[in-house]
Amino acid sequence: MNTETIKARLKQQKIETPSWGYGNSGTRFKTFPAPGAASTVWEKVEDAAFIHSLTGIAPSVALHIPWDRVEDYSELKKHAQDLGIQLGAINPNVFQDVQYKLGSVTNPDAAVRAKATQHLLDCVEVMKQTGSRDLSLWFADGTNYLGQDDLRKRKRYLREALQQVHDRLPEDGRMLIEYKLFEPAFYHTDLADWGLAYLHAVSIGEKAQVLVDLGHHAQGTNIEHIVSTLLDAGRLGGFHFNARRYADDDLVVGTTNPLELFAIYLEIVQAENDPSEALRKHVSEVAFMIDQSHNIEHKLEAMLQSVLNCQEAYAKALSVDFDLLTEAREQGEVLKANRIVMDAFYRDVRPLLRELREEQNLPADPYAALEESDHLKKVLRDRQSSDVGGGFPS
Amino acid sequence: MNTETIKARLKQQKIETPSWGYGNSGTRFKTFPAPGAASTVWEKVEDAAFIHSLTGIAPSVALHIPWDRVEDYSELKKHAQDLGIQLGAINPNVFQDVQYKLGSVTNPDAAVRAKATQHLLDCVEVMKQTGSRDLSLWFADGTNYLGQDDLRKRKRYLREALQQVHDRLPEDGRMLIEYKLFEPAFYHTDLADWGLAYLHAVSIGEKAQVLVDLGHHAQGTNIEHIVSTLLDAGRLGGFHFNARRYADDDLVVGTTNPLELFAIYLEIVQAENDPSEALRKHVSEVAFMIDQSHNIEHKLEAMLQSVLNCQEAYAKALSVDFDLLTEAREQGEVLKANRIVMDAFYRDVRPLLRELREEQNLPADPYAALEESDHLKKVLRDRQSSDVGGGFPS
Amino acid sequence: MNTETIKARLKQQKIETPSWGYGNSGTRFKTFPAPGAASTVWEKVEDAAFIHSLTGIAPSVALHIPWDRVEDYSELKKHAQDLGIQLGAINPNVFQDVQYKLGSVTNPDAAVRAKATQHLLDCVEVMKQTGSRDLSLWFADGTNYLGQDDLRKRKRYLREALQQVHDRLPEDGRMLIEYKLFEPAFYHTDLADWGLAYLHAVSIGEKAQVLVDLGHHAQGTNIEHIVSTLLDAGRLGGFHFNARRYADDDLVVGTTNPLELFAIYLEIVQAENDPSEALRKHVSEVAFMIDQSHNIEHKLEAMLQSVLNCQEAYAKALSVDFDLLTEAREQGEVLKANRIVMDAFYRDVRPLLRELREEQNLPADPYAALEESDHLKKVLRDRQSSDVGGGFPS
Amino acid sequence: MNTETIKARLKQQKIETPSWGYGNSGTRFKTFPAPGAASTVWEKVEDAAFIHSLTGIAPSVALHIPWDRVEDYSELKKHAQDLGIQLGAINPNVFQDVQYKLGSVTNPDAAVRAKATQHLLDCVEVMKQTGSRDLSLWFADGTNYLGQDDLRKRKRYLREALQQVHDRLPEDGRMLIEYKLFEPAFYHTDLADWGLAYLHAVSIGEKAQVLVDLGHHAQGTNIEHIVSTLLDAGRLGGFHFNARRYADDDLVVGTTNPLELFAIYLEIVQAENDPSEALRKHVSEVAFMIDQSHNIEHKLEAMLQSVLNCQEAYAKALSVDFDLLTEAREQGEVLKANRIVMDAFYRDVRPLLRELREEQNLPADPYAALEESDHLKKVLRDRQSSDVGGGFPS
């Protein structure tokens, strides 16, 4: 691809930022209040819009319900649109109510399951008001001890709840089923891996898709292989981007192993370039979202860095010489194929991105723009730094 | 369950031992020759029959082709039957020919793919001669470097080969699709996890089932959860039992974490006790097989210990008080449910098993019987200890 | 060893329970309030004494400062003694003050380092008042990003603080240096593994010892090997017992892999039986402590189960036939040596322990005794169930 | 640093390649013969010299004894010197003799221990003849089963052997103690981690140093932290570079996570820049060596790629703006410090390296030079492709 084509593709890139990434969050040991952290959904939307104004590629913000519950979602939608962004995926929270101690939709108690399912259905209603396409489902459900519960029974409970929700989704709506190896459950997690999310999605229906969170895999897992598998199967709903070395560390995207982020975007680009129209359509619908938890970082700086790291990874992936690559692969030239891909990874795309931003009247240096911005001054001055803010996990 | 019921169930237990477990095997650093190791398939069948004579629960032996190739399989079948056992699963080897360096059924070269597929089809013919129900498929296929090959293309190649083989299986035959996280491929493996094996199996047809090898998972993976999932989905074809702490260590079954082996049998027992007839039928068809590699152990002793550890695990799982367990689960009594299960695990079932053996005219102490046996003396005396024996990986 | 010797040894066993294990604790997602959880240190000491009254082997309780800070420690000491137990290890908390966001004794800011060190020194004063032998040191210090800080500089800061504290310890006091692979730091942890704790301990002085927490290792780590190494080097200060499968899951001791707990006690027993008087003295000083976090479990039940699982593991380890074992090892009989050890593991020691308890006028069935106890009724009735209790991590 | 300083530093860089990297090697499943692979030590030295002629930074070759045993080492030394390189570290092999099945220097049998120790001492004599500074020690020693052997006894056996060897080293000689988590031992490895290697080194004497192999750690381990620790303690002897995702995959250096290789070089550069003269002297003595196993790659291409990836990583690490970095660290600017480091990582240093090569009359494009070389043509034409070559693990 020539530079102009690459730029054109880069202008289409979209990254959704999460409302909860603008509020305080922490580890189980401590939530340190972050200076200028947002505490209301209105402030979070303002922060998301500000990040979009710096980057041009973060045009929507995901919501978490009930953290971001408001009386009138049309008002919130208007607030976002006035600031130049959209409301994005709706994320129901079914893990903080005291009744969910032993699970939500897989709880042994039918009343708790019903309550959790109702909350999911309520969130479908929210989608309709916010105009959101995606219901993004993460469950903390699981057990801590061998024998604690009946694994097959829980699987059926989960299926029932997901099916009900699926059948109430709006015409163009989707549900994204997220999986996670562990935490907060430490023996088994009802949706432990992509295989389980896929198994449910296929049985439930066309609107059920799989969500890949980069921090939710066992050590050694090849995530880009999962991405390619789900793309090929037509079930890649979207991503929750973040970085990790140990567990679900939820760090700034691309900081632990930038080659992995690049490898994921490489699968995306190959699908975008594929001759199959169905595959190209499928990949065009994938939701690219950030989900990270800041324990010691400045909120806006962390989100900006994550968004820009996604942009760099995509720009590098677009730079691969795919004709050469195909030839090397067909010839079985193992290391040459690797070097063709690595050549793109080692390309310094920052000058190109600076150029791209200037063409779009965006700040050439977004970090400097953040540092000098009125928005930053304002939030540092005006917002109550609070230990019990609206962030994650609050 | 009362003791008599438990004994009756234990008398139905079956463990298939692998021919390659009786020959020399090693690590990439060295294959140490084991005294008395078998080097022909005829000897391996004799060893397998001997293990069955000690335990009463190892009535069949799995074959690896071409390692165990013979001119006339009916003769081999008769040899086994004369010794009191059956020929079991057929395991095609498509990883040691020099052409398979970059893969077998997923090789970029069509000629290599065709050759590999033909070998699988040839093994289907062997099944018909040996009377084997199961074709057990493990592929070493994968890549070592990012970019080396096209992941989606390889997925399609794999599907094509599996479909061809499936469609040629005997009426009552099955194919067991084994997955493995890594080794010998170190970037991606075409069948990396149960999700991939399941995805293919479901698309291919009813005779395609998933094979769970205990050593093929990422660190932390809850294997019994996978077992329960596959049982519920009707796709648990069988097991390759062994033990591991680090990678695919292929140690004697039950030596690293005996609680895990027990937990797996606990899922089996719960399925066997399930009200659903379909589930009970499905679990009754599961193939329980050992697959281990002995680097420093005596072959017969290692196999005996593995078989007996499976028996102990099953006996303990049968001892769970399921009525109490169900009640505790329904009440959400987290630790009580765990203790009910652990009570069975901590039960010393060895006196019961000794009694069981005596009832069946089996040696009360199989280890002593091995040590004093003529068979052991004979193999130590007669067999050439060789560094290039017919074992795994030879 | 004969039964009487085993019983005599079991009567010497001691397990220290942690005050914070009796209060509320949770994951980063949620702290669910536990019915009857203690919220003051006085209540926690009562709970610890109650657990001791049920088991006879939990005669002390560890304190966390400032969570358990009181005006007059002699009063608290008397409270404990009146209830039949002692105050145990003092655990300084230098991870929850807002100034510790970037570290405590390794913080880049000298004022913060001084503050943290001062808190450690204050805790040395507490030791003198409580009569505690051990200062148990865990630091959350580390970084989240490559480049964030100077690793060697932080190492030197840590050394300076530890040295100061060491030099102020009481005559018979010790400091236990705990290590942890990760969490809450996700790039590097200043005390990441036993090697670092050991390196510091050796340089600092004789009173510096290493603390092994069972949940603080990388996947696959052989913990009993570390235990044997530290015993041999004279630097095993003590244990924080808990169970884990994934990360620092902090579950009830012995629930994930009971063989590992047994293997650790096996190293202890072998050291206790060693001909070297120095080694026997060293092992006699090891502190056996529980450190776990209950997210969904009942507090008292969880602690009781942990204490009893330690007792069973020790009883099994004492049951090994060491003469046979030594012989098998010297003969290089790999699997026989393993089976000798496993024979002890599979022994059902519960009848023996019941007998032991009866001899000591302890409840034969501690779980039943807990369930029927006035103490349980009282705490469920009287204690405020609170979401902001004094537990860990509060 | 300005460009000229960076270039001057790059001209000092040295990477030692291993003789066994030029011969055939494989996994436990199969050793595929590589076209043009060397089979004698004379050929391996020629290949190493050729790689040096392409890169200018690979001026020595490590030997493995007995694989590379010759009658007259002075002749081999002259052969190397005539080709423009030196003989480097001597690597004794004590894992392939049949007597080493249960260990070499830690074997329960005293005669086997003596034999292994004698081989190490013989290798010290080889060092004197080859003029090698370093004896590089890797032991396969360990056990496969709980209970198999006495861990503390084996630790003492290991110490005795190491001490004897240390005391016979040449005046300026060193011994590098390598550690490895697992493989080929699967229960415990006598030198399992850096802590054990360090503990022994410190007790043994000044010539004992620790060797860090990038593939020998548990999942998640922060290797650069270990590097910084050993540098600070004056015990970093050297590296065995390679890449891995799962176990000890032994892939081409820098292919799995190039950021990790950069992070390691960053610690090296910071030590080289340190005000402490002792530290600068220590880091100047570190041995940078490659140790990899090619299963499917072309030998010369793989080695070239590894050497060049080391060069790129070092060039990037030299490009960090350390003044800015120090300031950001002192201010606690977490993400700014990270970005300063990442700025250097994302720098495309390939134009600089091309310039550097041209200044040194080296091929500007080493891959093209390899492809067009007479050496490549010659080895492909003349060398017997053999399945039983002199490579690793042969």
Side-chain angles (χ1 to χ4, degrees), chain B residues 193-352:
Chain B
D193 59 20
W194 79 267
L196 268 158
Y198 171 81
L199 175 153
H200 283 292
V202 167
S203 301
I204 286 167
E206 282 302 318
K207 295 174 181 172
Q209 296 275 323
V210 179
L211 179 71
V212 177
D213 182 300
L214 272 58
H216 290 189
H217 303 84
Q219 295 289 39
T221 304
N222 185 321
I223 300 177
E224 59 265 30
H225 187 203
I226 294 173
V227 170
S228 89
T229 301
L230 289 170
L231 280 170
D232 196 61
R235 294 283 173 174
L236 181 64
F239 292 97
H240 271 179
F241 282 133
N242 49 60
R244 52 85 63 176
R245 172 188 284 267
Y246 303 102
D248 185 25
D249 308 340
D250 271 332
L251 300 175
V252 166
V253 181
T255 53
T256 304
N257 183 352
L259 188 63
E260 182 181 76
L261 186 65
F262 166 79
I264 288 168
Y265 269 107
L266 188 57
E267 288 302 323
I268 296 297
V269 170
Q270 288 175 96
E272 289 173 345
N273 294 350
D274 201 87
S276 154
E277 194 183 324
L279 180 57
R280 290 203 311 277
K281 178 168 187 302
H282 178 53
V283 73
S284 75
E285 293 168 351
V286 169
F288 296 86
M289 304 180 285
I290 288 171
D291 180 14
Q292 60 197 19
S293 170
H294 312 125
N295 307 323
I296 60 171
E297 305 87 337
H298 188 276
K299 300 285 167 191
L300 294 168
E301 185 186 14
M303 200 60 80
L304 179 61
Q305 192 165 327
S306 286
V307 170
L308 294 177
N309 281 348
C310 290
Q311 190 178 38
E312 290 195 27
Y314 187 44
K316 286 168 187 273
L318 288 167
S319 304
V320 169
D321 186 329
F322 289 105
D323 290 338
L324 270 185
L325 181 60
T326 301
E327 194 188 326
R329 285 169 168 181
E330 283 172 0
Q331 305 280 328
E333 293 181 296
V334 170
L335 290 174
K336 186 176 274 185
N338 174 252
R339 286 199 304 276
I340 290 164
V341 161
M342 294 306 286
D343 270 348
F345 177 69
Y346 285 129
R347 184 177 173 202
D348 190 345
V349 294
R350 290 171 300 179
L352 174 75

Side-chain angles (χ1 to χ4, degrees), chain A residues 26-30 32-35 95-102 138 140 142-146 148 180-189 219 244-252 255-256 293-297 302 305 392-394, chain C residues 26-30 32-35 95-102 138 140 142-146 148 180-189 219 244-252 255-256 293-297 302 305 392-394:
Chain A
T27 69
R28 63 174 167 143
F29 299 103
K30 174 69 177 174
F32 293 106
F95 55 87
Q96 292 193 314
D97 189 288
V98 76
Q99 288 193 274
Y100 297 145
K101 188 157 94 166
L102 301 185
W138 174 65
T143 61
N144 274 3
Y145 295 95
L146 171 63
Q148 179 186 329
K180 184 174 183 179
L181 181 64
F182 74 97
E183 195 211 21
F186 297 119
Y187 168 68
H188 105 287
T189 297
Q219 294 290 39
R244 52 85 64 177
R245 171 187 285 265
Y246 303 102
D248 185 25
D249 308 340
D250 272 333
L251 300 175
V252 166
T255 52
T256 303
S293 171
H294 313 124
N295 307 323
I296 60 171
E297 305 88 335
Q305 192 166 329
F392 181 77
S394 86
Chain C
T27 68
R28 63 173 166 142
F29 299 102
K30 173 71 176 174
F32 293 106
F95 55 87
Q96 292 192 314
D97 189 287
V98 75
Q99 289 193 272
Y100 297 145
K101 187 156 92 166
L102 302 185
W138 174 66
T143 60
N144 274 3
Y145 295 96
L146 171 63
Q148 180 186 329
K180 184 174 184 179
L181 181 65
F182 75 98
E183 198 214 20
F186 297 120
Y187 168 69
H188 105 288
T189 297
Q219 295 290 40
R244 51 85 65 177
R245 171 189 284 268
Y246 303 101
D248 185 25
D249 308 340
D250 273 331
L251 301 175
V252 166
T255 51
T256 304
S293 172
H294 313 125
N295 307 323
I296 60 171
E297 306 87 337
Q305 191 165 329
F392 180 76
S394 85

Side-chain angles (χ1 to χ4, degrees), chain A residues 148-159:
Chain A
Q148 179 186 329
D149 207 349
D150 181 326
L151 304 184
R152 285 185 284 110
K153 193 177 273 181
R154 292 176 74 102
K155 176 165 172 272
R156 291 197 288 270
Y157 291 154
L158 177 61
R159 174 71 55 83

Side-chain angles (χ1 to χ4, degrees), chain D residues 176-235:
Chain D
L176 309 183
I177 305 173
E178 191 166 354
Y179 58 89
K180 184 174 183 179
L181 181 65
F182 75 97
E183 197 213 19
F186 297 120
Y187 167 68
H188 105 287
T189 297
D190 289 301
L191 282 161
D193 59 19
W194 79 267
L196 268 160
Y198 171 82
L199 175 153
H200 283 292
V202 166
S203 302
I204 285 167
E206 283 302 318
K207 294 174 181 171
Q209 297 275 323
V210 179
L211 179 70
V212 177
D213 183 301
L214 271 59
H216 290 189
H217 303 84
Q219 295 290 40
T221 304
N222 184 322
I223 300 177
E224 59 265 30
H225 187 203
I226 294 174
V227 169
S228 90
T229 302
L230 289 170
L231 280 170
D232 196 61
R235 293 282 172 175

Side-chain angles (χ1 to χ4, degrees), chain C residues 132-393:
Chain C
S132 302
R133 181 190 59 170
D134 293 334
L135 186 71
S136 187
L137 298 171
W138 174 66
F139 298 97
D141 293 27
T143 60
N144 274 3
Y145 295 96
L146 171 63
Q148 180 186 329
D149 208 349
D150 180 327
L151 304 184
R152 285 185 284 110
K153 193 176 273 181
R154 292 175 75 103
K155 176 164 172 271
R156 290 197 289 271
Y157 291 153
L158 177 61
R159 175 71 56 81
E160 286 166 22
L162 292 176
Q163 190 70 59
Q164 279 188 65
V165 174
H166 179 269
D167 296 349
R168 291 270 288 277
L169 286 169
E171 184 75 27
D172 297 326
R174 307 187 312 167
M175 59 196 281
L176 309 182
I177 305 173
E178 190 166 354
Y179 59 89
K180 184 174 184 179
L181 181 65
F182 75 98
E183 198 214 20
F186 297 120
Y187 168 69
H188 105 288
T189 297
D190 288 302
L191 282 161
D193 58 21
W194 78 268
L196 267 159
Y198 171 81
L199 175 153
H200 283 293
V202 167
S203 301
I204 285 166
E206 284 301 319
K207 294 173 181 172
Q209 296 274 324
V210 179
L211 178 71
V212 178
D213 182 300
L214 271 60
H216 290 189
H217 302 84
Q219 295 290 40
T221 303
N222 183 321
I223 300 177
E224 58 265 30
H225 187 204
I226 294 173
V227 169
S228 91
T229 301
L230 290 170
L231 280 169
D232 195 62
R235 294 283 173 175
L236 180 65
F239 292 97
H240 270 179
F241 283 133
N242 50 59
R244 51 85 65 177
R245 171 189 284 268
Y246 303 101
D248 185 25
D249 308 340
D250 273 331
L251 301 175
V252 166
V253 182
T255 51
T256 304
N257 182 352
L259 188 64
E260 182 181 76
L261 186 66
F262 166 79
I264 288 168
Y265 268 108
L266 187 59
E267 288 302 321
I268 296 297
V269 170
Q270 288 177 96
E272 288 173 347
N273 293 352
D274 201 87
S276 155
E277 195 183 322
L279 180 57
R280 291 203 309 276
K281 178 170 187 301
H282 179 54
V283 73
S284 76
E285 293 168 353
V286 169
F288 297 85
M289 303 180 284
I290 288 169
D291 180 14
Q292 61 197 19
S293 172
H294 313 125
N295 307 323
I296 60 171
E297 306 87 337
H298 187 275
K299 300 286 168 190
L300 294 168
E301 185 186 16
M303 200 61 80
L304 179 60
Q305 191 165 329
S306 286
V307 170
L308 294 176
N309 281 348
C310 290
Q311 191 178 37
E312 290 196 27
Y314 188 44
K316 286 167 187 273
L318 288 166
S319 304
V320 169
D321 186 331
F322 288 104
D323 291 338
L324 269 185
L325 180 61
T326 301
E327 195 187 326
R329 285 169 167 180
E330 283 171 359
Q331 305 279 329
E333 294 181 295
V334 171
L335 289 175
K336 185 176 275 185
N338 174 252
R339 286 200 302 276
I340 290 164
V341 161
M342 294 306 286
D343 270 348
F345 177 70
Y346 286 128
R347 185 178 172 202
D348 189 344
V349 295
R350 291 171 298 180
L352 175 76
L353 295 174
R354 172 179 277 265
E355 207 179 290
L356 181 80
R357 284 186 203 106
E358 283 169 345
E359 286 178 21
Q360 296 180 290
N361 294 318
L362 292 164
D365 179 346
Y367 295 111
L370 165 62
E371 211 165 328
E372 296 153 14
S373 70
D374 289 338
H375 185 77
L376 182 63
K377 281 174 205 124
K378 195 186 75 154
V379 306
L380 290 176
R381 184 189 64 223
D382 293 353
R383 289 186 185 162
Q384 300 284 3
S385 182
S386 155
D387 205 346
V388 289
F392 180 76

Side-chain angles (χ1 to χ4, degrees), chain D residues 14-28:
Chain D
K14 286 186 182 63
I15 308 287
E16 182 164 302
T17 68
S19 71
W20 56 95
Y22 299 106
N24 282 324
S25 58
T27 69
R28 63 174 168 143

